[in-house]
Amino acid sequence: MELMYSPLSPYVRKVSVVAHEHGIAGKLRLTKVNTRSEPERVAPLNPLGKIPVLITDAGAALYDSPVICEYLDAEFGNHRLLPATGPRRWEVLTRMALADGLLDASIIVRHERARPPELRSADWIDWQMRKVRTGLDHLESVVGSFGDIDLGQVAVGCALGYMPLRLDEVVGFPHWPGLRAWFDRVSQRESFRATVPVL
Ligand SMILES: N[C@@H](CCC(=O)N[C@@H](CS)C(=O)NCC(=O)O)C(=O)O
């Protein structure tokens, strides 16, 4: 299998963590791409021009990260991280959607802040930062009930690992001590240690 990736992408990290959890990281041939400077390499596989993209051994191009993670878990992990059926499946998928949404909002803020001051929208930044805060507040209120690792937690861990690199407001998770403690623990897993983003 081939994984199109960029080194810092938290969405790619989700896929890598799942691969490590299932002991199949070695099966992934990693192809580094820059989606901005070489969009022609990604667009034929993902018309949205985004990574990660996984090309299976059968030649299918899969995107985006939830699809790839579910594929790896179903094919190689016997659904350990995402139950195939039942109420927990929907709980796990919903938690992953929240974590991915936190990443989406954080990345929007980062891009908006990178614009020239005269083009920057403070309202838009506030609106996205509100999502960041309410998302983290929600996770703080439920983190005590997290059980064995699942795909939702993988996504939360990858989001928490990325957000402080881009948003000063969340460095050290000052308002979310339960999440910080949980993140410290999950970061000790081999799958997380092997995939730490390096700036
Ligand atoms: N929802 C997608 C998001 C993927 C995504 O936004 N990837 C970024 C890299 S972190 C990307 O490829 N951006 C290029 C672009 O938006 O053109 C997923 O979960 O895979």
Side-chain angles (χ1 to χ4, degrees):
M1 291 178 288
E2 178 180 353
L3 179 66
M4 302 189 87
Y5 82 104
S6 70
L8 267 187
S9 167
Y11 308 99
V12 169
R13 188 181 186 198
K14 288 166 56 193
V15 173
S16 301
V17 168
V18 170
H20 278 274
E21 285 289 332
H22 293 324
I24 55 155
K27 284 186 192 283
L28 296 179
R29 191 155 44 86
L30 300 176
T31 304
K32 189 170 167 179
V33 285
N34 184 320
T35 53
R36 285 305 275 269
S37 62
E38 41 187 12
E40 70 286 351
R41 290 180 64 199
V42 185
L45 299 164
N46 175 357
L48 299 174
K50 296 184 180 190
I51 48 92
V53 175
L54 181 82
I55 304 160
T56 68
D57 288 341
L62 304 184
Y63 55 88
D64 50 20
S65 62
V67 175
I68 301 171
C69 289
E70 176 160 3
Y71 172 79
L72 294 180
D73 189 54
E75 291 292 317
F76 303 99
N78 199 24
H79 303 279
R80 174 166 68 86
L81 298 173
L82 176 65
T85 58
R88 263 199 29 84
R89 172 179 174 79
W90 310 115
E91 195 186 315
V92 170
L93 284 174
T94 303
R95 183 147 302 141
M96 175 160 62
L98 173 56
D100 288 354
L102 277 169
L103 283 173
D104 296 343
S106 304
I107 289 169
I108 289 172
V109 170
R110 169 179 159 74
H111 285 312
E112 191 65 27
R113 284 178 172 162
R115 302 178 84 202
E118 67 276 14
L119 296 179
R120 222 174 277 161
S121 164
D123 279 354
W124 184 232
I125 291 173
D126 285 350
W127 186 242
Q128 298 301 322
M129 281 307 295
R130 206 155 118 172
K131 296 178 197 303
V132 167
R133 278 191 298 276
T134 55
L136 291 174
D137 287 349
H138 172 79
L139 287 171
E140 177 74 14
S141 73
V142 297
V143 70
S145 68
F146 283 9
D148 289 343
I149 189 87
D150 58 33
L151 195 46
Q153 291 182 40
V154 168
V156 171
C158 292
L160 298 186
Y162 180 84
M163 294 168 73
L165 303 178
R166 300 308 192 201
L167 296 180
D168 288 346
E169 292 92 331
V170 304
V171 171
F173 301 106
H175 309 296
W176 306 280
L179 266 185
R180 183 174 61 230
W182 174 83
F183 180 62
D184 287 346
R185 283 197 304 279
V186 82
S187 298
Q188 297 309 311
R189 293 182 76 82
E190 187 273 335
S191 57
F192 276 83
R193 291 162 71 105
T195 58
V196 173
V198 181
L199 268 184

